Amino acid sequence: MPLTLPQFQRSIEDTYGAKDRQRGVAGTFMWFMEEVGELSAALRSGTPDDRAAEFADVLAWLATLANVVGVDLEKAVQAKYGGGCPGCRRTPCICDRAEKP
Amino acid sequence: MPLTLPQFQRSIEDTYGAKDRQRGVAGTFMWFMEEVGELSAALRSGTPDDRAAEFADVLAWLATLANVVGVDLEKAVQAKYGGGCPGCRRTPCICDRAEKP
């Protein structure tokens, strides 16, 4: 069975929740940024395995940050992206290329 | 049914894949970083709805980046976090607090 977003977020909560809350939002954001930096390096010069591992780390720290502030990642993406592009409401997106996203 | 990680990554591919590949890795990383900055602002002073929307954006751009470089996010997190903490292999994690993660 493919992993659902709630299952993933809960597994990160079970593994790191207690530590995460002790560290707080700002400290957790610093760890998240460290992983973002490592992703940047892996995108520039990493092997495919390096890249996959760094994507996993960024996603795990994003889930941890969401846990610390009580955001449900699945509800958040369903609310914003569940109906296609939030700009043009189409799939595929037909927004101008200079616009977000 | 809760959204699975592969479903989410595919929906981002369907919506933005063509644009994403034209933009390339470096340009897509810049958009991703812009969203990370907005998440930082929302964590500092946003409403709960602002925070949820910024988490959704960061996750969407992370999925887009993964699509551009051909990384399967679910396989990546299962490989790294599927057996508990990659440091101590326990749930909850018992790594020293100064260590990653």
Side-chain angles (χ1 to χ4, degrees), chain B residues 34-85:
Chain B
E34 185 167 322
E35 295 301 337
V36 170
E38 291 178 10
L39 174 62
S40 179
L43 287 171
R44 198 175 48 75
S45 62
T47 66
D49 282 355
D50 292 338
R51 290 178 171 197
E54 296 305 336
F55 272 103
D57 286 342
V58 171
L59 191 51
W61 281 94
L62 188 69
T64 268
L65 256 184
N67 286 335
V68 171
V69 298
V71 166
D72 180 316
L73 287 177
E74 193 218 13
K75 280 191 189 157
V77 295
Q78 291 281 32
K80 184 132 190 194
Y81 292 91
C85 172

Side-chain angles (χ1 to χ4, degrees), chain A residues 37-53:
Chain A
E38 291 177 10
L39 174 62
S40 179
L43 288 171
R44 199 176 47 75
S45 62
T47 66
D49 282 355
D50 292 337
R51 290 178 172 197

Side-chain angles (χ1 to χ4, degrees), chain A residues 14-86:
Chain A
D14 292 344
T15 308
Y16 301 114
K19 272 186 178 175
D20 295 343
R21 257 173 286 277
Q22 269 193 308
R23 195 189 306 109
V25 176
T28 302
F29 190 80
M30 288 182 75
W31 278 103
F32 167 72
M33 289 309 298
E34 184 167 323
E35 295 301 337
V36 169
E38 291 177 10
L39 174 62
S40 179
L43 288 171
R44 199 176 47 75
S45 62
T47 66
D49 282 355
D50 292 337
R51 290 178 172 197
E54 295 305 335
F55 272 103
D57 286 341
V58 170
L59 191 51
W61 281 94
L62 188 68
T64 269
L65 256 183
N67 286 335
V68 171
V69 298
V71 166
D72 180 317
L73 287 176
E74 193 218 13
K75 279 191 189 156
V77 295
Q78 291 281 31
K80 184 132 189 195
Y81 292 92
C85 172

